[in-house]
Amino acid sequence: MDTIFIQRTDIGRWLDRLAEERTVFAPTRRDGAVVYRPYRTGFVLELDAMPTTSPKEIVFPQNETLLTYSRAGNASGGAPKVEARETLPEQKAVIFGARPCGVNGLGVFDQVFDNDKTRDAYYTARRKDTRIITFACDRPRSTCFCTNVGGGPGDAAGSDVMLYPLGDGFVAEAVTTGGKAMLSLATGAPAGDREVAAKALVETAREAMPEPLELARIRENFDKCFNDMEFWEEQSGKCLSCGACAYLCPSCHCFNITDEGTESEGKRLRSWDNCMSYTFTAEASGHNPRAAKAMRLRNRVGHKFVYFPETHEGEVACRGCGRCIVSCPSSVDIRQIAKAIQEYCDDDK
């Protein structure tokens, strides 16, 4: 059976069974935010609110050790012996409660870290052993615009199981063979007519999406306003360069590499970085090609809507989740910036 109805009260029992074979990451509340944490029996799930963070941290951790190294003297007086050891992840995971926009963000990661020219061993090891159970959205937030960038409230791309909320439970639909195996561990009843009702709610959510975001001319218009720093200073005026937008974004994937340790032993770390940081492009010489905040914001917007599409068959890197809007401490709205680019050109400045 590929589609069943699961009562909310049976979700915990299902996750208990899944957790016997895999680490299950599920949404819960921590300090006012909804975040993904490893599930344990008795875990308090957040089944309704949109997670504050995206699921990218489960396959691309905020900080991870790439290798450890040691250096020992040579008794014969030759060069010291240096040994480096990879620390490839072996985690088998389930992401429970992702949203379609968050899953679509992993599609950007796949293109960057797993392609014909580049294959990141750490990312791909986690990605291939991660299953995804996604919640379809039955009502959009005012900041959502996923339908403008190729997604949608019920988009099943990249998911193994889709859960459609309906009353006191969820209509659960297996999307992949792996999803079917996971669903076989759940306690449920045939979905019957509830499948139609649940998907109708998602379609209603699609129709209730906020005003469409115009992107058709953004490539051409971005070039026209690229060197108008007065324009970009106006757009970046409220920005604090804190980087919250990048860290919460489901598709932002910039990182930094550092070595920590002593002369005799240590480790190499990969940590998230963000393009709004002054030091992101600072060079050892002291020169910084994007020293001004306006330049950094221009680069961020350009990467989402222009640079990434140019190298990935027109695909926009923004997933329209609105996390950067909701959590920005100074209310910077990427939709308003996109609109401003359109108006700039409309005014023919």
Side-chain angles (χ1 to χ4, degrees):
M1 186 179 302
D2 293 341
T3 305
I4 61 176
F5 183 78
I6 306 174
Q7 297 283 346
R8 283 177 175 250
T9 51
D10 289 329
I11 291 292
R13 193 183 314 170
W14 182 28
L15 298 188
D16 284 339
R17 292 171 178 166
L18 291 173
E20 292 175 0
E21 299 180 355
R22 294 172 175 270
T23 301
V24 176
F25 293 88
T28 189
R29 289 194 176 273
R30 292 285 189 278
D31 300 324
V34 179
V35 297
Y36 294 94
R37 289 291 182 270
Y39 172 84
R40 299 287 185 274
T41 300
F43 192 89
V44 179
L45 293 163
E46 174 52 76
L47 298 178
D48 297 303
M50 171 89 154
T52 309
T53 58
S54 81
K56 70 178 181 182
E57 62 184 322
I58 297 160
V59 293
F60 190 72
Q62 294 182 33
N63 185 286
E64 66 176 321
T65 299
L66 300 180
L67 59 86
T68 61
Y69 65 87
S70 59
R71 179 176 183 271
N74 190 326
S76 62
K81 180 182 179 182
V82 178
E83 182 179 359
R85 297 168 294 276
E86 281 187 327
T87 55
L88 289 172
E90 298 179 350
Q91 172 181 280
K92 293 185 177 180
V94 173
I95 301 173
F96 175 81
R99 297 302 174 120
C101 51
V103 180
N104 280 336
L106 299 182
V108 172
F109 276 78
D110 292 343
Q111 295 178 67
V112 173
F113 292 106
D114 189 10
N115 57 62
D116 293 339
K117 297 180 180 178
T118 303
R119 181 152 292 110
D120 185 288
Y122 301 86
Y123 172 78
T124 55
R126 289 191 180 87
R127 187 75 168 95
K128 74 180 181 63
D129 278 328
T130 298
R131 303 286 180 264
I132 302 176
I133 300 172
T134 303
F135 285 9
C137 298
D138 60 348
R139 55 185 181 280
R141 300 191 298 187
S142 62
T143 50
C144 291
F145 59 103
C146 62
T147 51
N148 292 124
V149 289
D155 186 3
S159 300
D160 294 289
V161 175
M162 287 296 292
L163 296 182
Y164 299 90
L166 183 69
D168 57 355
F170 298 90
V171 171
E173 180 178 59
V175 180
T176 65
T177 302
K180 188 173 182 179
M182 289 194 293
L183 211 50
S184 70
L185 301 176
T187 299
D193 293 342
R194 284 178 287 205
E195 180 177 357
V196 175
K199 292 187 176 180
L201 283 178
V202 173
E203 188 55 32
T204 300
R206 173 183 286 276
E207 294 170 354
M209 291 291 289
E211 181 182 354
L213 178 65
E214 178 59 52
L215 297 173
R217 299 186 336 213
I218 199 165
R219 174 67 184 89
E220 173 189 355
N221 296 353
F222 184 79
D223 284 348
K224 292 179 180 177
C225 61
F226 184 87
N227 290 316
D228 186 345
M229 292 315 300
E230 182 178 347
F231 171 82
W232 289 107
E233 286 167 2
E234 180 180 352
Q235 301 308 315
S236 63
K238 295 191 297 183
C239 177
L240 303 177
S241 282
C242 67
C245 49
Y247 295 136
L248 297 176
C249 174
S251 63
C252 278
H253 48 268
C254 289
F255 61 86
N256 194 11
I257 300 287
T258 55
D259 288 345
E260 294 184 0
T262 65
E263 184 179 2
S264 59
E265 62 182 3
K267 55 188 176 182
R268 176 158 296 176
L269 303 172
R270 173 161 64 183
S271 308
W272 289 1
D273 204 345
N274 82 87
C275 59
M276 288 309 300
S277 166
Y278 173 84
T279 59
F280 185 74
T281 50
E283 300 173 1
S285 65
H287 173 64
N288 191 336
R290 291 200 287 269
K293 182 176 62 177
M295 295 176 176
R296 299 195 291 275
L297 184 70
R298 180 184 64 187
N299 176 71
R300 175 170 173 75
V301 174
H303 183 262
K304 294 293 184 190
F305 295 106
V306 179
Y307 308 146
F308 192 88
E310 284 181 346
T311 55
H312 294 85
E313 300 179 347
E315 186 172 334
V316 175
C318 174
R319 290 331 203 193
C321 67
R323 287 183 173 89
C324 61
I325 304 169
V326 172
S327 297
C328 177
S330 56
S331 301
V332 174
D333 189 331
I334 197 169
R335 298 171 302 179
Q336 293 178 2
I337 298 172
K339 183 178 179 182
I341 295 173
Q342 301 284 4
E343 291 175 349
Y344 174 95
C345 294
D346 286 342
D347 291 341
D348 196 24
K349 292 180 179 179

